[in-house]
Each structure stands twice: as structure tokens, then as C-alpha cells.
Amino acid sequence: MPLARIEIPHERAKADDTRESKTRLKRGRPVGSKDKNPRKRKEVEKHDDPKITESILGETSHEANENIELPESEENHEISINYIHNGKIWNRNEMDDVDEFFSYLVSNEINEENEDPEPKSVSECQKRHDWENWKNAIQVELDSLNKREVFGPIVVIPKSVKPVGYKWVFVRKRNENNEIMRHKARLVAQGFSQRPGIDYEETYSPVMDAITFRFLMSLAASENLEMRLMDVVTAYLYGSLDTDIYMRIPEGFKMPEALSSKPRELCAIKLQRSLYGLKQSGRMWYNRLSEHLIKKGYINNPICPCVFIKKTSSGFVIIAVYVDDLNIIGTHEEIHEATNYLKGEFEMKDLGQTKFCLGLQIEHSEKGIFVHQSTYTKRVLKRFYMDKSTPLSTPMVVRSLNVEKDPFRPPEENEKILGPEVPYLSAIGALMYLANCTRPDISFAINLLARFSSSPTQRHWNGVKHVLRYLQGTIDLGLFYPKNADDQMIGFADAGYLSDPHKARSQTGMFSLSEEPLSHGAPETNSRGHLLKPC
């Protein structure tokens, strides 16, 4: 699909948008500047045991201070962009091949509001101005746990059994415009203490990827089908456990009279349902949903295990699963029947026409479906302090066949490698997530810069900032899928013989576009900015 543009209304600047982030205020410099002697950073974390009954919703709390130090400059190490909040450190030596999973993790960090991070504990929630919202979210979670009968009896911990811990996790759910829709609280098990072969056997749970989702959107557009998004409420709680799991008794639970004389530390509560945080929870939920759909006549295959299809005499319906988000595609009658069948087994929320899923913003019109990530792009620019930069018209500068003048040449012998304070890996991951989803025009530039993830220099960092400045001027670009388009595909290819002057490798790339041109689309170009012509 060719890149298309959208109209983005000019938003009024808010007072909060002009504030510097905590990182910049503490460091006194933007992310990316050099610092040979990093200063120590402090973060106040609340470590208070969560309480499951009325005591958890009380107004008393206490907190403990924990100091987090910025690591000394180590070669090929890098602090994450949210290091002050999560303490993560990336090892560049282990990131020679930046994959989709890493880029997804970085995108999640960017989607976290650094200036207003999510609370880490109940006591921290109680200190916030939106405590009433968190209080209601906690109560909703407790009601769900009781309704699904997740907890079994409290027993003395059997021999050879290692109970898992627990923790409260708080998240604010947002829409496609980055507006807070609801507050969500989860009581999760600390599955990192589970032992393989004893507490779980298999953990793999398939999910739909962005490529499959884009194909389904193009199918919906070309066949003029409807798209509806459904959300399963507390999806993991529907799965049945395949092993015996014991969890430490959350504070607030009353001990049974028969065990009142026993120390609380010697007892545990047996889990009857899969709980968030357990290694096998995702797999148990997928198995439960898969069995329910196959029983109704839906089919899937090993290539796309998360896409369930059912054909009827009047049409067909497709259910694309991404954990607890179900995208239902088909005609109106088939979608109505599918939603009624799912609601009969699971508690679900009907979110209406799909407008935001997997970080993609989806706009439906009479002409087709437009997919973009303008909100995410703005966050990326703001997170790397490039939201006020001067826009550029191309994603990268022209390479030189002269190995000594090529700005993208490998690090030279005496050239300085960037320190841990420069978020090179984080920037590559954030941009790769964008390139993989809706911005193929930056794919070549990001692929080239990702080759130097283990030992980036200032030249390579300048290349990253060049891509960010290009995005500053093309925030409104995305992919457009026209309605009733011809099934015929037009392919484009570009190849360069020995185009890599350093390793004498040939480079090529290809992709296909719809035959129907766009009246307001961007020029059809390949990832290096060259105009495309049909083969």
C-alpha cells in the first residue's frame, strides 16, 4: 500500500507539555548528551504489601526509599529510556540483531508517561490525586477474582512445594488519542519463581502479528466488510491450570480457624484458575478460547493459529486473537452471531468498530481504511527531545561508495563508542517498531543503523537523529487500503549490485502496492527515497 497523509488538527499547547521531564531536570542535559561521570539517581518506590480485603482500600500507608544508581560507563552498555523508573540496562553486545520483540518492549516504554508514571504499589496509589479511580479498579479486580473462583482453600504448604509470591500491577488504559479511558488494577502472581518441569510444562501462546492484522484490514477494505473489536474481561482467569500452583496468602485474607494456630508463612492458598503472571497463563487462556471456537465450527491452522475462520452459506467471519483482544471481521449478520456466541461463554466488552489495536490507529471512511501511528510518532519525538527539531525531507543522507567518506561506515579503530547515557538501542527499537507497522519509508535507514547497535558512534547517532527529524515533518503519513480495490497486486523492486562498499554485499528490497492511486497520497518511493516505477 502507498503511503498516504492525514489531516491532524493543531492542538493547543498545554501547560504540562512545556514541563521538562524528570530525567532532563535531574541530569541538566537532554538524553543523548555525553557524560563521563554519571551522577547518582534516586527514586522513591513504595514497597507496601497489598491487601485483598477492606484493609487494602484504607487510607493508611507507609513507604520505603530505595536508591537507584546510574551505572558507571561500561563499554557496550546502555540505560533504557525509562531507567529512572524501571532500572533496566541494555547490553549492546547481545543486541546485534534487534528483533521485533525488543522493539515492542521499547514501544511500551515510550507509551508509558515518563512525567506521570504508573503507580507501583497500593500505597503509591493512595498518595495520588486519582486514588478514587484506583480504589474502584482494585475493587473490580477483587470482585472478578471471587466471581471466577480463582482461589481455592488455604492449606499448609506441602513438602517440596515452593509457593509463588504476588504483586499488584496498575495500568491506565488509553484510546487512540492517548486519552485515559479507565484505570485497571491486576493482582498478579510472581511467576519468575516457578520451576520448569514442576510448576509448568509449556508456556508458548501464539498471538497475531502486525503483518497478519494489516492483511485482514486490507481484506476488510477490499471486500467491504465490517470490523469490530471485542475485549475479554479478565481473560486469563478463564483458563484451568495443568499443574498444582500455590501462592503466598495475600495480606488481608483471613486464616481458617483450623489453621489459626499455624504461622502465616507456613501456609499458602491453592490456585484453581490461571492467574496473571504465571508462566502458563497465556497458554491456558488460548487453549480455552481455541477449544470453544473450534467446537462451534471455526477452523485455524499452524501458520496462523490466532486467526479463526468460519464459513457459512451467507458468508464468512474471521476472529483474529491478540491475547484478550478479539478483532471480528465479516458481514453484519455473521459478526452479530459470533459476538452472541462469545458473550454466552465469556464476559466481554463490545468496543464497537476497530479504531485502535496493537498500537495502530485505524480510521474508516467511505473510500477505505487508513492506518497510521501519528500519536506514537509524536511520543517518540518527544521522548528523544526531537519534537521541536527542524524537519527534513529524506530519512537518511546519500551514502558514498568511498569507504573513507561514507557516514555509515563501521566504527574506526580509534573512534569513540557511545556511552550508556546515549539511548541508541532504545531509539533503534522505537523506530523499528514504527517501520514494521506503518512506515516502510524508514525501513532501509533503520535497518542500516541497526547494524551498528553493538558499537555505535556519534556518526551513527546523527543518522538516528536524521530519521527523527524526517518523522517530524511526516507525522501524518500512514498506509491506506482502498475499498473495492482490484485483487491484482503491483510489485516494486530495487536492487543494488555491490551497493555495500564495506562488505561488498548486494542489497535489494521489494514490496507490493494496490493498483488504485491515491489523490492525496505521498509520492511512491522506496525505502531509500527513490521514486518507484512498475516492474
Side-chain angles (χ1 to χ4, degrees):
M1 295 297 106
L3 291 172
R5 291 186 179 272
I6 60 173
E7 294 294 333
I8 300 180
H10 295 285
E11 300 176 356
R12 295 182 179 178
K14 299 180 181 179
D16 293 342
D17 295 337
T18 61
R19 294 181 303 175
E20 298 286 352
S21 69
K22 295 179 181 178
T23 305
R24 178 179 281 188
L25 289 175
K26 280 195 166 190
R27 298 297 302 268
R29 56 180 62 82
V31 172
S33 60
K34 297 182 179 180
D35 187 3
K36 297 182 179 179
N37 300 310
R39 304 172 186 172
K40 294 183 179 180
R41 296 188 180 187
K42 296 182 179 180
E43 178 189 17
V44 178
E45 280 197 10
K46 287 75 177 178
H47 298 282
D48 195 9
D49 291 334
K51 303 178 180 181
I52 308 300
T53 56
E54 293 181 357
S55 58
I56 199 174
L57 304 176
E59 301 300 329
T60 59
S61 66
H62 66 275
E63 62 186 41
N65 294 339
E66 181 181 66
N67 295 336
I68 296 182
E69 295 184 0
L70 186 67
E72 296 296 331
S73 295
E74 296 184 45
E75 187 176 0
N76 295 338
H77 280 73
E78 174 184 318
I79 60 175
S80 76
I81 51 178
N82 283 354
Y83 174 80
I84 191 173
H85 299 296
N86 56 31
K88 290 182 181 178
I89 300 177
W90 309 123
N91 188 337
R92 290 171 176 164
N93 289 329
E94 299 175 356
M95 295 291 179
D96 289 339
D97 183 17
V98 181
D99 55 17
E100 293 185 9
F101 181 70
F102 175 75
S103 63
Y104 177 76
L105 292 178
V106 175
S107 69
N108 283 342
E109 285 196 11
I110 291 177
N111 285 329
E112 294 178 4
E113 287 294 327
N114 188 47
E115 295 175 354
D116 186 18
E118 309 289 9
K120 302 296 183 183
S121 65
V122 175
S123 59
E124 187 173 343
C125 289
Q126 293 172 344
K127 298 291 186 179
R128 298 169 63 101
H129 66 279
D130 54 353
W131 161 237
E132 286 298 324
N133 294 327
W134 293 118
K135 181 178 180 180
N136 295 333
I138 292 173
Q139 189 60 56
V140 169
E141 175 68 1
L142 297 178
D143 294 341
S144 297
L145 294 173
N146 293 329
K147 183 178 180 179
R148 310 289 178 222
E149 298 180 349
V150 175
F151 298 119
I154 296 178
V155 297
V156 177
I157 300 176
K159 293 182 179 180
S160 73
V161 169
K162 183 179 180 182
V164 298
Y166 62 91
K167 180 180 177 61
W168 279 98
V169 176
F170 304 96
V171 177
R172 288 167 295 185
K173 305 294 286 187
R174 300 173 182 271
N175 61 8
E176 66 274 13
N177 297 320
N178 197 32
E179 299 169 343
I180 298 176
M181 302 300 294
R182 64 189 179 98
H183 293 63
K184 189 175 181 179
R186 282 284 180 264
L187 179 66
V188 304
Q190 294 177 327
F192 56 80
S193 60
Q194 288 183 266
R195 296 164 294 177
I198 301 176
D199 298 324
Y200 64 92
E201 296 293 338
E202 296 183 3
T203 62
Y204 174 73
S205 178
V207 293
M208 174 183 63
D209 60 8
I211 297 176
T212 302
F213 188 43
R214 288 199 304 269
F215 169 77
L216 293 176
M217 284 189 289
S218 68
L219 178 66
S222 61
E223 299 295 332
N224 200 19
L225 302 174
E226 294 183 14
M227 292 184 64
R228 181 177 296 181
L229 183 62
M230 305 285 290
D231 178 65
V232 183
V233 179
T234 59
Y236 279 17
L237 304 186
Y238 285 100
S240 300
L241 291 173
D242 53 354
T243 57
D244 292 335
I245 302 293
Y246 294 84
M247 188 177 77
R248 296 194 179 278
I249 304 174
E251 189 172 346
F253 267 59
K254 293 183 179 180
M255 295 285 291
E257 295 182 2
L259 299 176
S260 58
S261 59
K262 297 282 186 179
R264 195 180 186 89
E265 294 75 16
L266 298 180
C267 299
I269 188 169
K270 186 176 182 180
L271 298 179
Q272 300 181 145
R273 297 279 185 180
S274 60
L275 188 64
Y276 290 90
L278 295 178
K279 297 282 188 180
Q280 66 268 47
S281 290
R283 183 177 182 84
M284 296 297 101
W285 155 242
Y286 171 80
N287 290 342
R288 172 71 186 279
L289 177 63
S290 177
E291 293 173 0
H292 185 66
L293 292 176
I294 292 175
K295 187 188 303 182
K296 185 64 175 177
Y298 289 84
I299 60 173
N300 65 344
N301 59 68
I303 298 177
C304 295
C306 282
V307 178
F308 296 86
I309 305 173
K310 181 182 179 182
K311 296 181 180 180
T312 64
S313 57
S314 58
F316 64 92
V317 62
I318 301 174
I319 300 179
V321 180
Y322 189 86
V323 191
D324 58 351
D325 291 331
L326 309 183
N327 272 282
I328 307 178
I329 302 170
T331 59
H332 181 76
E333 294 76 11
E334 278 72 23
I335 290 181
H336 181 70
E337 180 182 352
T339 54
N340 288 338
Y341 178 67
L342 290 169
K343 289 180 179 178
E345 182 70 13
F346 310 108
E347 183 181 352
M348 307 190 68
K349 292 182 179 179
D350 190 345
L351 304 180
Q353 191 178 50
T354 305
K355 295 183 179 180
F356 185 71
C357 186
L358 300 183
L360 308 183
Q361 297 172 246
I362 306 166
E363 298 185 11
H364 303 262
S365 66
E366 296 180 354
K367 295 182 179 180
I369 298 177
F370 184 71
V371 188
H372 62 96
Q373 291 175 283
S374 59
T375 300
Y376 175 73
T377 304
K378 292 178 182 178
R379 282 188 165 189
V380 171
L381 293 171
K382 184 178 180 180
R383 193 62 190 85
F384 293 100
Y385 306 107
M386 298 293 288
D387 51 322
K388 301 293 174 38
S389 60
T390 303
L392 294 176
S393 59
T394 59
M396 61 179 289
V397 298
V398 178
R399 299 191 67 182
S400 173
L401 294 180
N402 187 337
V403 294
E404 297 180 356
K405 295 181 179 180
D406 183 18
F408 300 101
R409 62 186 182 275
E412 298 175 351
E413 184 176 352
N414 297 325
E415 198 167 6
K416 184 177 181 180
I417 304 300
L418 297 180
E421 72 279 358
V422 181
Y424 189 87
L425 264 179
S426 297
I428 291 295
L431 295 173
M432 184 170 290
Y433 182 74
L434 195 59
N436 289 338
C437 293
T438 60
R439 296 300 298 269
D441 52 330
I442 65 172
S443 297
F444 182 83
I446 299 305
N447 177 272
L448 180 61
L449 293 168
R451 301 175 191 176
F452 311 104
S453 296
S454 61
S455 54
T457 66
Q458 186 62 40
R459 290 183 288 103
H460 305 128
W461 179 241
N462 291 338
V464 171
K465 291 193 290 185
H466 189 109
V467 176
L468 292 172
R469 292 176 65 185
Y470 169 72
L471 292 176
Q472 171 73 356
T474 58
I475 294 177
D476 56 348
L477 286 184
L479 299 177
F480 181 74
Y481 300 96
K483 282 190 176 181
N484 303 319
D486 193 344
D487 292 338
Q488 181 181 3
M489 303 291 288
I490 299 180
F492 296 89
D494 186 27
Y497 180 65
L498 299 179
S499 56
D500 187 348
H502 306 286
K503 296 185 178 180
R505 293 177 178 175
S506 300
Q507 299 174 111
T508 184
M510 65 187 70
F511 58 91
S512 57
L513 303 176
S514 169
E515 185 175 7
E516 182 178 345
L518 292 176
S519 58
H520 300 289
E524 296 176 356
T525 62
N526 68 356
S527 55
R528 275 175 274 184
H530 300 159
L531 289 176
L532 294 174
K533 297 181 180 179
C535 297

